[in-house]
Amino acid sequence: MSNRFSSRASLPRRAANLFLLASLAATSPLLGGCGMELQIGDGSGEGGGPDTATGTGGSPPGTTATGTGGSPPGTTATGTGGSPPGTSAVGVGGGTTATGTGGTEMNPPDVCQDSLDTDPGREPPSEEQCQEIGTTLKAEHDAARLGAELAVTPLAGTWVTGSGPERVELVLDANGQGTLLFGEPTDLPPITDPDEVYLTNREANDAHDIFGLEHLKIHPGFKYSVVAESGHGSEMSFHIWIMEVWEGWCAAQTPVSSPYSRHCYACMVDEGGYSFITSGSVCEAPAGCYAGRSLDEEKLVDCGRLELCALPNYNVCNCTADECFANLGRSASQLTVYPYAVTLDPLDTTILRLKSLSELHEKKTHYLEEQP
């Protein structure tokens, strides 16, 4: 199957996956038929006394096994669930135990691919509408890093904790403007070829967990702009735009007219719908991302570029007819906005508490020390 939830995923990650799939399903009828697997494990129930005990376990629901025995003679134990064959009900001693043995893996009819309509049923906008959309996107982008003007003089300074990969640095001025850095300061990788994907580990034919938002993570060494929201004195709240790190790469992209794109232009041709095949799928087609519902090899597109350019609400670039730029503003998902809260320690004002509130980034409080 092509899309699979793992119980080993962290809670924020699973919540994000569920949020994304739910939001996509609301706009994409195709996702309702995605191949999903649900593993039902063993189950048993214990009943006491010499009468009747019912145990619930296994799958599919409604499978019933009845065994007569136990003590006193004639006591009936019923196990609901289990998977035939192998469902058993056992009367044990003076207390009765009903056990549903096994369980089964529940699968829908074979579905070998996931599909996504990026904007189903929408009429392509007119040229005039495209111009208006582009103007709005650019204005939102240009204003996205202009935070509120606060009066937070006690927070002004450079605050640091840790070293190496664990290092965190927050620089603020008296108005709440500044930068946030994770790790040691370093330059981003050079953009040697704009046609190559950037800051993602997704290979061209890797459709695994395409909705997992793996690219939306903190990039060590990059100084994110602090966008002040509210606060006064020794406390404030702010956010960073996780997609800001792609600003340079987006600027190097050539806008492509895409009638199916929500914004008329994108950094790749938006075909309006895609199919995803992972390795190990029941499909005979090669693993990868396909434009449309056809699994012909000529329809293969680069999964990494698709992730960056055409995944609705999580594309890292927006484009107008003239240019591309990082996706900052209302068109981006709220999951791409990483919020933080800052307060001075009430007992030691040389310590600043930086609390992460993001659903995707680890929620924790960092204790930063003021630097001379």
Side-chain angles (χ1 to χ4, degrees), residues 266-309:
C267 52
M268 67 176 286
V269 176
D270 188 342
E271 300 288 351
Y274 298 90
S275 298
F276 309 105
I277 308 298
T278 58
S279 57
S281 163
V282 297
C283 290
E284 296 182 359
C289 301
Y290 293 77
R293 304 184 193 184
S294 169
L295 300 183
D296 295 334
E297 289 193 43
E298 60 267 22
K299 293 291 187 179
L300 278 168
V301 298
D302 188 311
C303 293
R305 181 164 282 272
L306 172 65
E307 179 181 59
L308 298 181
C309 292

Side-chain angles (χ1 to χ4, degrees), residues 24-96:
L24 289 176
T27 59
S28 176
L30 287 172
L31 277 178
C34 291
M36 300 290 249
E37 295 182 356
L38 177 62
Q39 180 70 45
I40 305 297
D42 295 346
S44 64
E46 291 191 357
D51 298 315
T52 300
T54 300
T56 302
S59 166
T63 301
T64 302
T66 302
T68 301
S71 176
T75 299
T76 300
T78 302
T80 301
S83 175
T87 302
S88 61
V90 183
V92 180
T96 303

Side-chain angles (χ1 to χ4, degrees), residues 291-344:
R293 304 184 193 184
S294 169
L295 300 183
D296 295 334
E297 289 193 43
E298 60 267 22
K299 293 291 187 179
L300 278 168
V301 298
D302 188 311
C303 293
R305 181 164 282 272
L306 172 65
E307 179 181 59
L308 298 181
C309 292
L311 201 61
N313 303 314
Y314 302 94
N315 53 297
V316 304
C317 302
N318 280 333
C319 300
T320 67
D322 303 315
E323 62 180 325
C324 295
F325 37 82
N327 184 6
L328 313 179
R330 288 182 296 175
S331 67
S333 165
Q334 284 298 305
L335 290 178
T336 70
V337 179
Y338 281 23
Y340 294 87
V342 171
T343 57
L344 280 183

